[in-house]
Amino acid sequence: MARDLTQLELLHELVPVAEDNVNRHMSMAKEWHPHDYVPWDEGRNFAALGGVDYDPEQSNLSEVARAAMITNLLTEDNLPSYHREIAENFSQDGAWGTWVGRWTAEENRHGIVMRDYLVVTRGVDPVALEQARMIHMTNGFASPAGAQTGLLHSVSYVTFQELATRVSHRNTGKVCDDPIADRMLQRIAADENLHMMFYRNVTAAALDIAPDQTLEAISHIVMNFRMPGAGMPNFRRNGVLMAKHGIYDLRQHLEDVVWPVLRKWQIFEREDFTGVGEAKREELAVFLEDLERQATKFEEMRDRSLAREAAKAERKAS
């Protein structure tokens, strides 16, 4: 049985792929500026400067939109933790170092523009937002790979995570009922998509170099996946609201995130796995079948809940 490649061997073998994909990213990435996506003329001073502090009546966002915007922003805020995770599992040399720096700089814009938008428009309570940021960043980010960290687990996770974040941002923009917010979140989602493509391509190359070893990492991530905001204040409540109203739910996770990536990697078509890899692939297939059942069950429960709420609202109106 072939031995697993070491971290250094993987990094060395994948340098040409990293170089190609850094160049590809730089040729496709569009320059944009956070200040262009914020309606500054809506801003006014808070009490500390002689103005008026936040009141919920000032927000034009629905409860669902507020929950999604806060969740997405706090996720972006935790960038230092993600930077550490990637920097430790990649390298600071050559193409790897260039990518870590560029990715971090691009991701930082997301938190900047979302916070500026929310504070200027008074979309959410800025004091509560800052308190939640302090808690979330202090707690940091715990990789779903657990003790099994390394390049393969890292690139596998961020492939799915970047795509999941893209879906969440796009759907959040739709529920904000504000063309400025929608345009801003579309811009962020476009970044996330390009980031996902870098990680997806690196993982695809790793599958060719070390099929069984890479599949083990992919399977572990899929079967233990958690969104990066899982530890933030009110994450469960906000996550339920987002799932209930179609911003990010189990069906979207399965059909818009997991399956497209697995198909791109041809996980269930490849013929280069050994017996160890085949066993891991079968385990993954069973897990995905169960996830499909869970998604269907959730949709049925959600439909009944929404129907009850609609009937209650109708009775109240009459």
Side-chain angles (χ1 to χ4, degrees):
M1 187 175 76
R3 69 174 179 84
D4 285 351
L5 297 181
T6 67
Q7 179 90 342
L8 285 176
E9 287 171 335
L10 286 165
L11 285 167
H12 177 73
E13 290 284 339
L14 291 168
V15 163
V17 179
E19 289 176 347
D20 288 346
N21 279 276
V22 166
N23 292 332
R24 180 179 186 274
H25 178 83
M26 297 299 282
S27 71
M28 296 178 68
K30 290 183 171 60
E31 183 179 18
W32 64 277
H33 307 101
H35 67 263
D36 288 329
Y37 291 80
V38 179
W40 298 102
D41 58 353
E42 292 184 24
R44 58 193 190 276
N45 289 345
F46 290 91
L49 292 179
V52 177
D53 274 341
Y54 173 82
D55 184 281
E57 293 297 318
Q58 296 165 355
S59 177
N60 291 320
L61 298 176
S62 67
E63 181 186 16
V64 175
R66 286 197 301 273
M69 287 289 272
I70 290 169
T71 300
N72 290 355
L73 172 54
L74 292 180
T75 297
E76 299 289 353
D77 276 334
N78 224 0
L79 178 61
S81 281
Y82 316 142
H83 171 87
R84 285 195 300 271
E85 179 92 5
I86 289 176
E88 288 171 1
N89 289 313
F90 286 17
S91 163
Q92 294 301 296
D93 300 325
W96 294 116
T98 300
W99 173 256
V100 170
R102 175 74 186 199
W103 174 84
T104 304
E106 291 186 4
E107 285 287 340
N108 196 38
R109 289 189 298 213
H110 303 168
I112 291 170
V113 70
M114 291 179 70
R115 172 165 286 95
D116 284 349
Y117 171 85
L118 289 173
V119 172
V120 166
T121 63
R122 302 197 174 215
V124 303
D125 182 348
V127 174
L129 183 65
E130 176 62 8
Q131 291 169 342
R133 185 189 72 85
M134 291 293 291
I135 293 169
H136 190 44
M137 289 188 70
T138 301
N139 290 340
F141 167 72
S143 170
Q148 301 186 58
T149 55
L151 176 66
L152 296 180
H153 284 83
S154 186
V155 293
S156 298
Y157 175 71
V158 287
T159 300
F160 293 110
Q161 179 266 316
E162 292 278 9
L163 186 50
T165 306
R166 173 199 168 197
V167 170
S168 182
H169 281 313
R170 282 295 291 114
N171 290 332
T172 297
K174 294 173 185 176
V175 301
C176 283
D177 197 26
D178 176 9
I180 295 175
D182 191 33
R183 191 164 66 98
M184 172 186 70
L185 290 166
Q186 283 186 49
R187 179 59 264 171
I188 293 173
D191 276 5
E192 306 289 17
N193 196 55
L194 286 181
H195 297 162
M196 178 275 294
M197 290 168 70
F198 176 92
Y199 297 122
R200 189 185 66 190
N201 292 347
V202 170
T203 308
L207 274 164
D208 292 337
I209 293 168
D212 287 354
Q213 193 177 350
T214 306
L215 178 62
E216 191 281 328
I218 291 168
S219 298
H220 184 88
I221 293 301
V222 171
M223 291 189 283
N224 295 276
F225 186 82
R226 291 184 305 146
M227 289 294 270
M232 70 178 59
N234 299 315
F235 179 78
R236 181 172 176 79
R237 173 191 173 276
N238 291 346
V240 168
L241 267 177
M242 292 168 71
K244 187 175 180 179
H245 294 276
I247 294 171
Y248 197 86
D249 59 27
L250 200 51
R251 175 66 62 193
Q252 289 161 318
H253 178 67
L254 187 61
E255 295 188 358
D256 298 341
V257 177
V258 174
W259 271 118
V261 172
L262 294 181
R263 290 191 186 105
K264 187 72 176 179
W265 289 332
Q266 296 186 305
I267 293 298
F268 291 100
E269 291 77 38
R270 302 179 70 98
E271 298 179 351
D272 52 355
F273 297 126
T274 69
V276 173
E278 290 289 355
K280 183 58 65 175
R281 180 161 60 179
E282 289 175 12
E283 184 182 350
L284 179 61
V286 171
F287 175 84
L288 292 170
E289 288 174 5
D290 184 59
L291 209 59
E292 169 69 32
R293 286 190 289 271
Q294 290 180 47
T296 300
K297 184 178 179 181
F298 171 78
E299 287 171 327
E300 291 170 350
M301 290 172 58
R302 177 176 62 189
D303 290 346
R304 288 195 296 270
S305 176
L306 291 173
R308 285 195 300 270
E309 289 180 9
K312 184 178 178 181
E314 188 176 334
R315 287 195 302 273
K316 191 174 181 180
S318 59

